[in-house]
Amino acid sequence: MGITAPPPPLRRRRRWPWKSWLLFLLFAGPNVALLIVFTYKPLLQSLYYSTLQWNIGSATARQVGLGNYIDWFTDPTTAHVVMVTVVFTIATVGGGMVLGLALAVLLNRRLRGRGAARTVVVAPYVLSGVAVGLLWLFVFDPNFGICAALLRAVGLASPDWYNDPQWALLMVIVVYLWKNVGYVALVYLAALQTVPADLLEAAALDGATPFHAFRRIVLPLLGPTTFFLAVTTLLSSLQSFDIIQAMTQGGPLEGTTTMMYQIYQEGFQTGRAGYSSAVATILFVVLLLVTFVQMKYVEKRVHY
């Protein structure tokens, strides 16, 4: 009986890793290039400019190190700007989350004209912030605006929205909420439609009221969506500019000047590009820290 020779070893195909790299560069290369040119390069340039005493249009600049940062932290107006930023952010983020969830719950019900109502709620979000701000200036006009007419109908006088810092800040907050609450409602509505109906039916059979079912079942299931909205709306609020520019230009008496708007004022109105870059860097660090805290600690409370 003859001994059969073992079959020849299979020849492995030669791998070409450069093809994978070429495919990666083909798909990711343009996006990476755009990020480098329009995001990371301006960020590094802003960080460098923040160490200079340089005015826009000037051919010379002087290196001052941390001088711009020290000037900002010791400026008497800084505390007021930070307070306005905090109040505006808390009001717009908190108010937007609550109102958006309430609208989503309402629009998730079987109502007549529900499709049209959803369109009306979301429509302001896609409008230009400048256009929205100019439109609402007429609404809040203390003499001829709709708000003044409604207040006069019940025997009340219209507040001085344009000249009182507190009322001006409230006005900007209301307009920001009106424009952006549709985004929150849309995202919450999509999440509500994924909640299993059998869970709610089982809770109803066990005697749970709609409120308890919503608090014990729906809200925990909305945890990932709430976390996502908390991050995105917070970042958006801290960077809000267009509505403030269109309605108040940071006034009156810096009553609506946030850190984001201060960057514009210092850089393009007073011409202090170095100081403006320092404020922009500080705001970037704040955004980075807030996002880190949310991702590190808040996300742990979210159940996926």
Side-chain angles (χ1 to χ4, degrees):
M1 183 176 180
I3 300 175
T4 59
L10 297 176
R11 299 181 63 182
R12 296 182 178 179
R13 292 183 178 180
R14 189 175 180 183
R15 296 182 178 179
W16 299 94
W18 62 270
K19 289 185 177 180
S20 300
W21 282 106
L22 183 62
L23 187 63
F24 170 78
L25 291 177
L26 181 63
F27 285 100
N31 292 330
V32 173
L34 290 174
L35 285 174
I36 292 175
V37 173
F38 294 104
T39 301
Y40 298 114
K41 181 183 177 182
L43 178 64
L44 295 176
Q45 285 181 329
S46 177
L47 182 61
Y48 170 69
Y49 292 153
S50 69
T51 63
L52 302 176
Q53 185 180 9
W54 173 56
N55 295 334
I56 291 182
S58 175
T60 60
R62 183 169 62 89
Q63 185 67 239
V64 293
L66 299 178
N68 289 321
Y69 296 94
I70 296 174
D71 291 343
W72 187 81
F73 281 104
T74 57
D75 193 327
T77 63
T78 296
H80 176 72
V81 172
V82 171
M83 180 59 65
V84 171
T85 305
V86 171
V87 172
F88 178 83
T89 303
I90 292 177
T92 53
V93 174
M97 298 282 285
V98 173
L99 293 175
L101 179 58
L103 283 173
V105 172
L106 179 62
L107 295 176
N108 195 41
R109 297 177 178 271
R110 295 183 178 179
L111 302 173
R112 182 178 299 177
R114 182 175 60 177
R118 290 175 178 177
T119 303
V120 170
V121 169
V122 179
Y125 178 69
V126 300
L127 298 178
S128 167
V130 175
V132 169
L134 294 176
L135 173 66
W136 277 85
L137 279 177
F138 294 99
V139 175
F140 283 105
D141 188 285
N143 297 317
F144 309 104
I146 299 176
C147 183
L150 294 176
L151 291 175
R152 282 196 298 267
V154 295
L156 298 176
S158 174
D160 196 355
W161 301 101
Y162 301 156
N163 297 318
D164 190 309
Q166 295 180 351
W167 285 111
L169 181 59
L170 177 62
M171 175 179 65
V172 172
I173 290 172
V174 169
V175 176
Y176 184 92
L177 287 173
W178 180 83
K179 181 182 185 302
N180 294 278
V181 74
Y183 162 74
V184 180
L186 181 64
V187 176
Y188 265 134
L189 180 61
L192 284 172
Q193 293 177 347
T194 64
V195 175
D198 54 351
L199 292 179
L200 300 178
E201 293 174 359
L205 291 176
D206 289 338
T209 63
F211 173 77
H212 285 89
F214 180 80
R215 191 166 72 94
R216 297 293 185 180
I217 298 176
V218 177
L219 279 183
L221 292 176
L222 293 179
T225 303
T226 301
F227 175 72
F228 167 77
L229 287 172
V231 174
T232 56
T233 56
L234 181 62
L235 296 180
S236 176
S237 178
L238 285 172
Q239 300 177 79
S240 177
F241 169 80
D242 47 2
I243 291 178
I244 297 176
Q245 170 64 15
M247 299 189 71
T248 62
Q249 291 83 45
L253 302 176
E254 298 184 343
T256 57
T257 300
T258 60
M259 290 182 64
M260 186 68 196
Y261 195 79
Q262 187 184 31
I263 296 171
Y264 165 77
Q265 284 182 323
E266 296 294 343
F268 296 97
Q269 292 184 354
T270 62
R272 296 198 296 172
Y275 187 85
S276 175
S277 298
V279 181
T281 303
I282 294 171
L283 181 59
F284 168 75
V285 173
V286 171
L287 293 171
L288 194 64
L289 290 176
V290 168
T291 305
F292 173 78
V293 170
Q294 288 180 318
M295 299 295 292
K296 183 71 174 178
Y297 300 102
V298 179
E299 190 178 18
K300 292 181 179 180
R301 301 177 179 269
V302 178
H303 301 284
Y304 292 93

